[in-house]
Amino acid sequence: MHRLDDDFDPVGVWRLVAYYDVDEAGRTSDGPLGSAPQGMLIYTADGHLSVSMMRALDGAGGGTETFMGYAGRWHLEGARMVHEVAVSAHPHIVGTDMVREVELDGEDLLLGGTAQIGGRPQRRLLRWRRAAAFERTGAPAAT
């Protein structure tokens, strides 16, 4: 994995490969959408974004959520991606900035951050792959 190059351009469509919770020791477990989440993240050239994520259609993999989604504006601040939330399936995040660390891992975009979940900090990692690469390789195995 490596940090972003100065010329990194996230514009386009990304597909969700994996969504993990990460514990203090760095171990991963299924995130809130279970073991096989599906999703799309769209960044436009004029600074808008839309993200939709859901549990697998067959309901496999458990998880506590069935759908997550929001839209708004985006910008990069060094190695951080900022999503300015304008609308959301979760009203409590409307009007907030969701700040994520950004790294590239081959063709994958990694967005990570920590939020207060159930009164404790919870680190989460989302792995996205450009749609063309995702569709070329088929449904990915989580890595």
Side-chain angles (χ1 to χ4, degrees), residues 19-23 26-32 120 122-125:
Y19 187 177
Y20 297 115
D21 285 345
V22 182
D23 70 15
R27 294 179 300 246
T28 60
S29 60
D30 294 343
R120 66 177 181 82
Q122 175 62 62
R123 178 143 177 80
R124 293 201 161 141
L125 179 65

mmCIF file of all heavy atoms in Angstrom, residues 19-23 26-32 120 122-125:
data_model
loop_
_atom_site.group_PDB
_atom_site.id
_atom_site.type_symbol
_atom_site.label_atom_id
_atom_site.label_comp_id
_atom_site.label_asym_id
_atom_site.label_seq_id
_atom_site.Cartn_x
_atom_site.Cartn_y
_atom_site.Cartn_z
ATOM 1 N N TYR A 19 -15.727 -4.255 3.445
ATOM 2 C CA TYR A 19 -16.033 -3.277 4.485
ATOM 3 C C TYR A 19 -15.777 -3.986 5.813
ATOM 4 O O TYR A 19 -16.507 -4.895 6.188
ATOM 5 C CB TYR A 19 -17.489 -2.849 4.352
ATOM 6 C CG TYR A 19 -17.968 -1.724 5.236
ATOM 7 C CD1 TYR A 19 -19.264 -1.263 5.107
ATOM 8 C CD2 TYR A 19 -17.165 -1.118 6.189
ATOM 9 C CE1 TYR A 19 -19.748 -0.228 5.891
ATOM 10 C CE2 TYR A 19 -17.638 -0.084 6.979
ATOM 11 C CZ TYR A 19 -18.930 0.350 6.831
ATOM 12 O OH TYR A 19 -19.408 1.363 7.616
ATOM 13 N N TYR A 20 -14.697 -3.582 6.499
ATOM 14 C CA TYR A 20 -14.250 -4.258 7.702
ATOM 15 C C TYR A 20 -14.290 -3.365 8.924
ATOM 16 O O TYR A 20 -14.065 -2.158 8.828
ATOM 17 C CB TYR A 20 -12.777 -4.673 7.572
ATOM 18 C CG TYR A 20 -12.472 -5.657 6.502
ATOM 19 C CD1 TYR A 20 -11.671 -5.293 5.424
ATOM 20 C CD2 TYR A 20 -12.941 -6.963 6.564
ATOM 21 C CE1 TYR A 20 -11.350 -6.200 4.440
ATOM 22 C CE2 TYR A 20 -12.620 -7.872 5.578
ATOM 23 C CZ TYR A 20 -11.826 -7.489 4.522
ATOM 24 O OH TYR A 20 -11.506 -8.390 3.539
ATOM 25 N N ASP A 21 -14.498 -3.983 10.074
ATOM 26 C CA ASP A 21 -14.165 -3.374 11.359
ATOM 27 C C ASP A 21 -12.751 -3.826 11.677
ATOM 28 O O ASP A 21 -12.357 -4.953 11.358
ATOM 29 C CB ASP A 21 -15.111 -3.860 12.462
ATOM 30 C CG ASP A 21 -16.500 -3.230 12.372
ATOM 31 O OD1 ASP A 21 -16.656 -2.227 11.659
ATOM 32 O OD2 ASP A 21 -17.416 -3.755 13.021
ATOM 33 N N VAL A 22 -11.976 -2.948 12.298
ATOM 34 C CA VAL A 22 -10.584 -3.253 12.647
ATOM 35 C C VAL A 22 -10.408 -3.015 14.136
ATOM 36 O O VAL A 22 -10.734 -1.932 14.638
ATOM 37 C CB VAL A 22 -9.598 -2.362 11.850
ATOM 38 C CG1 VAL A 22 -8.156 -2.723 12.173
ATOM 39 C CG2 VAL A 22 -9.858 -2.473 10.346
ATOM 40 N N ASP A 23 -9.890 -4.028 14.857
ATOM 41 C CA ASP A 23 -9.713 -3.862 16.302
ATOM 42 C C ASP A 23 -8.345 -3.253 16.622
ATOM 43 O O ASP A 23 -7.556 -2.977 15.719
ATOM 44 C CB ASP A 23 -9.962 -5.175 17.062
ATOM 45 C CG ASP A 23 -8.888 -6.229 16.841
ATOM 46 O OD1 ASP A 23 -7.787 -5.918 16.338
ATOM 47 O OD2 ASP A 23 -9.145 -7.402 17.198
ATOM 48 N N GLY A 26 -5.309 -4.699 15.091
ATOM 49 C CA GLY A 26 -5.252 -4.718 13.640
ATOM 50 C C GLY A 26 -5.993 -5.883 13.007
ATOM 51 O O GLY A 26 -5.965 -6.056 11.796
ATOM 52 N N ARG A 27 -6.674 -6.691 13.801
ATOM 53 C CA ARG A 27 -7.455 -7.808 13.271
ATOM 54 C C ARG A 27 -8.750 -7.271 12.667
ATOM 55 O O ARG A 27 -9.354 -6.351 13.198
ATOM 56 C CB ARG A 27 -7.764 -8.821 14.370
ATOM 57 C CG ARG A 27 -6.535 -9.529 14.918
ATOM 58 C CD ARG A 27 -6.935 -10.487 16.018
ATOM 59 N NE ARG A 27 -7.582 -9.752 17.105
ATOM 60 C CZ ARG A 27 -7.070 -9.617 18.331
ATOM 61 N NH1 ARG A 27 -5.924 -10.153 18.633
ATOM 62 N NH2 ARG A 27 -7.732 -8.937 19.250
ATOM 63 N N THR A 28 -9.166 -7.891 11.562
ATOM 64 C CA THR A 28 -10.393 -7.457 10.900
ATOM 65 C C THR A 28 -11.528 -8.430 11.173
ATOM 66 O O THR A 28 -11.317 -9.617 11.396
ATOM 67 C CB THR A 28 -10.199 -7.335 9.376
ATOM 68 O OG1 THR A 28 -9.828 -8.603 8.846
ATOM 69 C CG2 THR A 28 -9.145 -6.301 9.033
ATOM 70 N N SER A 29 -12.741 -7.883 11.162
ATOM 71 C CA SER A 29 -13.965 -8.676 11.247
ATOM 72 C C SER A 29 -14.994 -8.014 10.335
ATOM 73 O O SER A 29 -14.810 -6.883 9.879
ATOM 74 C CB SER A 29 -14.471 -8.755 12.689
ATOM 75 O OG SER A 29 -14.752 -7.459 13.187
ATOM 76 N N ASP A 30 -16.069 -8.741 10.048
ATOM 77 C CA ASP A 30 -17.104 -8.197 9.170
ATOM 78 C C ASP A 30 -17.624 -6.869 9.703
ATOM 79 O O ASP A 30 -17.849 -6.715 10.897
ATOM 80 C CB ASP A 30 -18.282 -9.161 9.057
ATOM 81 C CG ASP A 30 -17.917 -10.455 8.350
ATOM 82 O OD1 ASP A 30 -16.871 -10.491 7.676
ATOM 83 O OD2 ASP A 30 -18.689 -11.420 8.484
ATOM 84 N N GLY A 31 -17.828 -5.929 8.796
ATOM 85 C CA GLY A 31 -18.411 -4.644 9.149
ATOM 86 C C GLY A 31 -19.918 -4.750 9.293
ATOM 87 O O GLY A 31 -20.488 -5.846 9.263
ATOM 88 N N PRO A 32 -20.586 -3.622 9.416
ATOM 89 C CA PRO A 32 -22.030 -3.612 9.696
ATOM 90 C C PRO A 32 -22.905 -4.144 8.563
ATOM 91 O O PRO A 32 -24.082 -4.399 8.782
ATOM 92 C CB PRO A 32 -22.325 -2.146 9.983
ATOM 93 C CG PRO A 32 -21.241 -1.404 9.280
ATOM 94 C CD PRO A 32 -20.028 -2.280 9.354
ATOM 95 N N ARG A 120 -17.918 3.747 22.050
ATOM 96 C CA ARG A 120 -16.492 3.448 21.992
ATOM 97 C C ARG A 120 -15.975 3.711 20.576
ATOM 98 O O ARG A 120 -16.744 3.639 19.617
ATOM 99 C CB ARG A 120 -16.209 2.014 22.410
ATOM 100 C CG ARG A 120 -16.770 0.978 21.481
ATOM 101 C CD ARG A 120 -16.381 -0.439 21.932
ATOM 102 N NE ARG A 120 -16.899 -1.431 21.021
ATOM 103 C CZ ARG A 120 -16.343 -1.800 19.877
ATOM 104 N NH1 ARG A 120 -15.225 -1.244 19.475
ATOM 105 N NH2 ARG A 120 -16.893 -2.718 19.126
ATOM 106 N N GLN A 122 -14.548 3.004 17.042
ATOM 107 C CA GLN A 122 -14.529 1.844 16.154
ATOM 108 C C GLN A 122 -13.860 2.235 14.854
ATOM 109 O O GLN A 122 -14.320 3.151 14.171
ATOM 110 C CB GLN A 122 -15.949 1.355 15.871
ATOM 111 C CG GLN A 122 -16.026 0.217 14.868
ATOM 112 C CD GLN A 122 -15.309 -1.026 15.361
ATOM 113 O OE1 GLN A 122 -15.678 -1.597 16.358
ATOM 114 N NE2 GLN A 122 -14.252 -1.420 14.660
ATOM 115 N N ARG A 123 -12.762 1.570 14.510
ATOM 116 C CA ARG A 123 -12.072 1.815 13.242
ATOM 117 C C ARG A 123 -12.721 0.960 12.164
ATOM 118 O O ARG A 123 -13.011 -0.210 12.372
ATOM 119 C CB ARG A 123 -10.594 1.468 13.368
ATOM 120 C CG ARG A 123 -9.845 1.653 12.066
ATOM 121 C CD ARG A 123 -8.455 2.179 12.272
ATOM 122 N NE ARG A 123 -7.743 2.267 11.025
ATOM 123 C CZ ARG A 123 -7.881 3.242 10.145
ATOM 124 N NH1 ARG A 123 -8.711 4.235 10.401
ATOM 125 N NH2 ARG A 123 -7.196 3.255 9.020
ATOM 126 N N ARG A 124 -12.953 1.567 11.020
ATOM 127 C CA ARG A 124 -13.543 0.863 9.884
ATOM 128 C C ARG A 124 -12.712 1.127 8.640
ATOM 129 O O ARG A 124 -12.153 2.209 8.473
ATOM 130 C CB ARG A 124 -14.988 1.308 9.667
ATOM 131 C CG ARG A 124 -15.862 0.850 10.839
ATOM 132 C CD ARG A 124 -17.285 0.780 10.510
ATOM 133 N NE ARG A 124 -17.979 -0.063 11.485
ATOM 134 C CZ ARG A 124 -19.173 0.200 11.953
ATOM 135 N NH1 ARG A 124 -19.829 1.260 11.523
ATOM 136 N NH2 ARG A 124 -19.741 -0.616 12.809
ATOM 137 N N LEU A 125 -12.639 0.126 7.780
ATOM 138 C CA LEU A 125 -11.873 0.210 6.545
ATOM 139 C C LEU A 125 -12.757 -0.240 5.390
ATOM 140 O O LEU A 125 -13.370 -1.313 5.454
ATOM 141 C CB LEU A 125 -10.632 -0.677 6.628
ATOM 142 C CG LEU A 125 -9.749 -0.712 5.401
ATOM 143 C CD1 LEU A 125 -9.116 0.657 5.152
ATOM 144 C CD2 LEU A 125 -8.653 -1.766 5.566
#
